[in-house]
Amino acid sequence: MGLPTLEFSDAFLDSPDFRDRLKCHEIELERTNKFIKELIKDGNSLIGALKNLSVAVQKFSQSLQEFQFECIGDAETDDEVNIAQSFKELSQLLNSVEEERRRLIQNADDVLITPLEKFRKEQIGAAKEGKKKFDKETEKYYSTLEKHLNLSSKKKESLLQEADTQIDKERQLFYDASLEYVFKIQEVQEKKKFEFVEPLLAFLQGLFNFYHEGYELAHEFEPYKQQLQFNLQNARNNFLSTKQEVEKLMKRVRSADQDQKPPGQWTMEGYLYVQEKRPLGCTWTRHYCTYEKGSKTFVMTNTEAKATAKQMFKLKSCIRRKTDSIDKRFCFDIEVVERHGIVTLQALSESNRRLWLEAMDGKEPVSEPVALSLREFTPKAPADMDLDPDTWDNKTITSGLKNYLRLTFICLCCVTESDDQNYRVCAVHALVHKLPDRNKEMLEILIKHLLIVSTHSKSNMMTVANLGVVFGPTLMRSQEETVAAMMNIKFQNVVVEIMIENFEKHNSAYLIRFSVVCLHLHLQHFADALIQSDLQFEHFTQVGQGGVRSLAQGLLLV
């Protein structure tokens, strides 16, 4: 059922029925206003979504335009050329579609949002202002009328005439406001039929133009699409025809020996693990290595580093590493011109190591008779050397000094294989006595110097414990850097601390050497053996049995 008609004559009567019919129009006007608000909000959301879609399509089109389609091989077939070019063609098609969409978005605000907002503010807003005026004049008129009717008839005639004039004026204002409001509210109800629908129709026309433009572009694109489909089918057929042969080749490669010499420009190439020494151990880092036999050029590329860097060397020699000399398998050593010392490498397998040795003219290790790991210093070097700072950097000098001092001590690990504790003590005692005199002198000079350094620990921060940490691994590092050897570092540190702390108190070469035993013996067992043993050493006569027991108790505290 439609809205009731509002007669102007009813505005004069202002009957309850007129008020009810007027209320129906007001409710419908408010519903229309609310609907337009929601429509404008949804329209803005739609325009925003179209903008986001347009941006996404443009980005997608740009990605297609920038991508360079590459095919396997030096030459390309016509099908491959067209397929590679298809990305740019598709990108151009999307750009053409987006041009029409951008025009739709640009016009959407003018043809949809602005007219709806204008109708809501100007038409519905004017009707609301008319209602406010009508309600104000209604209240004013009926308030004046009530006062006028309450005037006494005994008032002067002039006052009554003045009151009649005032009530006529207020009545006329009320009638004018009522008539204008009725006219405006009916005008808005009639205008919304076309001013409300026309913006929607214009917006839809823009959508139809966009879709029609897409249809036209699709029609123009049809020949290229058919040609591209033909190229794609040819490429698929070519792939299916060669797939079986490729699978056969893959099976042949899979069944072949993986450790055979790989084809390429290098005499030998592949992954090797390179031993890199650290202050407290060593690490094995994977490198991709190449070797050219003619120029003896060996190149290592660290594949585990963030910034890949190549190291190029000239090979001097290559020797297979004995299995019992290192706790890693498949190892071999090389010497290069650019580095001092050997570089230990680990191959991926025994056959892989054989290929590397053959490529580098590797040799087998020379078997030498087992001898005590002990060197005696000989005065081959001059007393003084001119260490020019421009030629010798600090690292080189200190490294050489550490290697020199490391030869001072003897490896005692071999005697710990026995389960007999007494045998261990006797064996260590026998080995310590074989320390050459020159080594003893060097050890005494070093410990005396470290003692002087430790007396200034407040300023240089080099306490006895810190000196032990520094010189323990330096003096007693194992020849083979294994986990077991690393676990002995803490005992090496303690030995150096004992030698420094007891240097002045027991300035005896034998006591210094005897404290070295602590490195490779359990301190508890050593102390027990020292207390229980009835061996009488001539050096202990100066200390006495009480001193021996005190020494054992001190070892237990350590």
Side-chain angles (χ1 to χ4, degrees):
M1 185 176 178
L3 293 171
T5 304
L6 295 176
E7 296 294 338
F8 292 114
S9 58
D10 293 337
F12 292 97
L13 296 175
D14 195 24
S15 64
D17 181 67
F18 169 76
R19 289 283 181 169
D20 292 337
R21 283 181 281 139
L22 188 61
K23 185 67 175 179
C24 292
H25 282 264
E26 291 174 349
I27 293 174
E28 176 60 20
L29 197 64
E30 183 60 30
R31 190 176 69 86
T32 302
N33 181 59
K34 185 177 180 180
F35 175 73
I36 292 177
K37 279 185 176 181
E38 292 294 328
L39 192 63
I40 291 174
K41 180 180 178 181
D42 295 337
N44 286 325
S45 299
L46 175 60
I47 294 173
L50 290 174
K51 289 180 179 179
N52 293 334
L53 175 61
S54 180
V55 171
V57 173
Q58 291 178 47
K59 186 177 180 180
F60 179 76
S61 174
Q62 184 67 24
S63 299
L64 294 178
Q65 183 70 27
E66 294 175 353
F67 182 76
Q68 185 65 33
F69 202 102
E70 296 291 345
C71 299
I72 300 176
D74 297 330
E76 296 178 349
T77 64
D78 292 340
D79 295 327
E80 291 174 338
V81 171
N82 291 338
I83 292 173
Q85 186 65 25
S86 64
F87 279 35
K88 292 181 172 54
E89 293 292 336
L90 294 174
S91 175
Q92 293 176 3
L93 175 64
L94 291 175
N95 285 333
S96 300
V97 174
E98 286 312 302
E99 283 294 334
E100 188 63 30
R101 194 197 305 273
R102 282 193 290 270
R103 282 193 289 270
L104 169 65
I105 295 172
Q106 292 173 357
N107 296 332
D109 189 79
D110 295 333
V111 301
L112 178 63
I113 304 301
T114 301
L116 289 177
E117 191 70 25
K118 181 179 180 180
F119 177 77
R120 190 184 71 83
K121 290 182 178 180
E122 293 183 3
Q123 300 300 324
I124 299 180
K128 288 184 175 183
E129 290 297 324
K131 175 177 171 52
K132 290 180 181 180
K133 183 178 180 181
F134 171 71
D135 292 338
K136 180 180 178 181
E137 292 299 330
T138 299
E139 181 180 0
K140 186 177 180 180
Y141 168 68
Y142 283 109
S143 175
T144 304
L145 179 62
E146 185 177 352
K147 292 179 181 179
H148 179 72
L149 295 177
N150 289 330
L151 288 175
S152 175
S153 58
K154 297 180 181 180
K155 294 284 185 180
K156 293 182 179 181
E157 188 64 22
S158 59
L159 293 176
L160 295 175
Q161 290 180 357
E162 183 179 353
D164 292 338
T165 304
Q166 181 66 27
I167 193 64
D168 292 337
K169 182 179 179 181
E170 294 296 331
R171 183 184 296 110
Q172 187 61 44
L173 292 175
F174 166 72
Y175 288 160
D176 292 341
S178 179
L179 292 173
E180 290 175 3
Y181 180 52
V182 170
F183 174 80
K184 189 61 182 179
I185 200 170
Q186 292 191 116
E187 182 186 45
V188 172
Q189 297 293 0
E190 292 297 315
K191 272 191 172 183
K192 73 177 184 181
K193 297 176 183 179
F194 51 91
E195 291 193 4
F196 184 36
V197 178
E198 281 179 350
L200 299 176
L201 181 61
F203 178 72
L204 291 177
Q205 185 61 44
L207 283 177
F208 296 151
N209 293 338
F210 167 72
Y211 293 138
H212 180 73
E213 182 67 21
Y215 172 80
E216 293 292 335
L217 289 173
H219 182 71
E220 296 174 2
F221 188 72
E222 186 65 23
Y224 180 82
K225 184 185 74 172
Q226 295 178 356
Q227 180 62 39
L228 182 59
Q229 289 176 335
F230 176 78
N231 299 137
L232 292 172
Q233 187 60 42
N234 287 342
R236 185 184 299 275
N237 295 336
N238 292 334
F239 166 75
L240 295 176
S241 63
T242 58
K243 180 181 179 181
Q244 187 176 4
E245 295 299 324
V246 173
E247 289 178 346
K248 290 180 180 179
L249 176 60
M250 181 183 65
K251 292 178 181 179
R252 289 197 300 271
V253 173
R254 180 182 296 172
S255 61
D257 185 6
Q258 296 300 315
D259 288 326
Q260 64 181 346
K261 179 184 175 300
Q265 59 176 325
W266 311 106
T267 307
M268 187 62 187
E269 62 179 326
Y271 281 102
L272 292 172
Y273 284 80
V274 182
Q275 185 186 50
E276 296 180 354
K277 295 185 178 181
R278 297 287 187 266
L280 297 180
C282 65
T283 60
W284 294 82
T285 308
R286 187 176 65 175
H287 289 67
Y288 191 82
C289 304
T290 60
Y291 178 68
E292 206 283 315
K293 191 171 184 179
S295 60
K296 292 188 175 182
T297 303
F298 181 71
V299 179
M300 299 191 309
T301 303
N302 190 346
T303 60
E304 297 181 0
K306 293 183 179 179
T308 304
K310 292 184 177 182
Q311 303 180 66
M312 186 177 295
F313 308 100
K314 187 174 183 62
L315 184 70
K316 291 173 61 178
S317 64
C318 174
I319 302 177
R320 182 180 66 84
R321 187 69 175 264
K322 286 185 177 181
T323 304
D324 57 357
S325 67
I326 193 170
D327 60 350
K328 294 285 187 179
R329 304 172 65 195
F330 320 130
C331 295
F332 61 97
D333 296 334
I334 64 171
E335 288 185 286
V336 295
V337 177
E338 291 79 4
R339 282 189 181 182
H340 296 291
I342 63 173
V343 179
T344 301
L345 306 174
Q346 183 184 29
L348 304 182
S349 63
E350 182 59 34
S351 56
N352 183 248
R353 177 172 68 171
R354 184 179 65 254
L355 291 175
W356 278 102
L357 291 174
E358 291 175 358
M360 294 181 170
D361 297 328
K363 300 179 181 179
E364 290 293 319
V366 179
S367 299
E368 297 179 355
V370 178
L372 184 64
S373 177
L374 182 65
R375 299 184 183 179
E376 180 177 0
F377 299 127
T378 56
K380 294 182 179 180
D384 297 318
M385 294 183 62
D386 183 14
L387 300 179
D388 186 4
D390 296 333
T391 306
W392 302 87
D393 60 301
N394 292 337
K395 292 183 179 180
T396 302
I397 297 174
T398 55
S399 178
L401 179 60
K402 287 197 296 184
N403 290 330
Y404 176 77
L405 295 176
R406 195 168 296 164
L407 301 176
T408 303
F409 280 96
I410 185 172
C411 180
L412 304 175
C413 295
C414 58
V415 301
T416 60
E417 297 177 358
S418 174
D419 294 332
D420 189 349
Q421 299 296 327
N422 292 329
Y423 170 79
R424 289 184 179 184
V425 175
C426 295
V428 170
H429 175 71
L431 290 175
V432 167
H433 268 284
K434 295 180 180 180
L435 197 65
D437 294 337
R438 296 184 183 275
N439 297 56
K440 299 175 187 176
E441 294 175 2
M442 187 67 243
L443 178 61
E444 184 175 354
I445 294 173
L446 175 62
I447 299 302
K448 184 176 181 180
H449 171 69
L450 296 182
L451 178 62
I452 297 175
V453 173
S454 65
T455 58
H456 299 83
S457 59
K458 291 184 178 180
S459 59
N460 57 27
M461 306 301 293
M462 294 307 296
T463 62
V464 174
N466 290 343
L467 290 171
V469 171
V470 174
F471 282 89
T474 297
L475 298 178
M476 287 167 282
R477 182 184 295 271
S478 175
Q479 292 182 354
E480 299 298 336
E481 297 188 356
T482 61
V483 175
M486 294 302 102
M487 296 301 294
N488 282 332
I489 288 180
K490 53 187 177 182
F491 300 111
Q492 298 167 4
N493 300 344
V494 171
V495 170
V496 174
E497 292 180 30
I498 292 174
M499 289 190 294
I500 296 175
E501 290 174 346
N502 296 274
F503 180 76
E504 288 185 345
K505 186 176 181 180
H506 305 290
N507 190 8
S508 168
Y510 176 77
L511 287 181
I512 293 175
R513 293 197 307 273
F514 198 79
S515 61
V516 179
V517 179
C518 302
L519 172 61
H520 301 290
L521 294 179
H522 298 291
L523 296 180
Q524 176 67 52
H525 293 166
F526 175 73
D528 291 343
L530 184 62
I531 295 174
Q532 297 174 4
S533 176
D534 57 353
L535 295 177
Q536 298 294 326
F537 296 110
E538 126 182 70
H539 298 282
F540 280 162
T541 57
Q542 300 176 6
V543 180
Q545 294 183 353
V548 173
R549 186 171 299 275
S550 299
L551 176 60
Q553 293 175 352
L555 292 174
L556 288 176
L557 292 176
V558 175

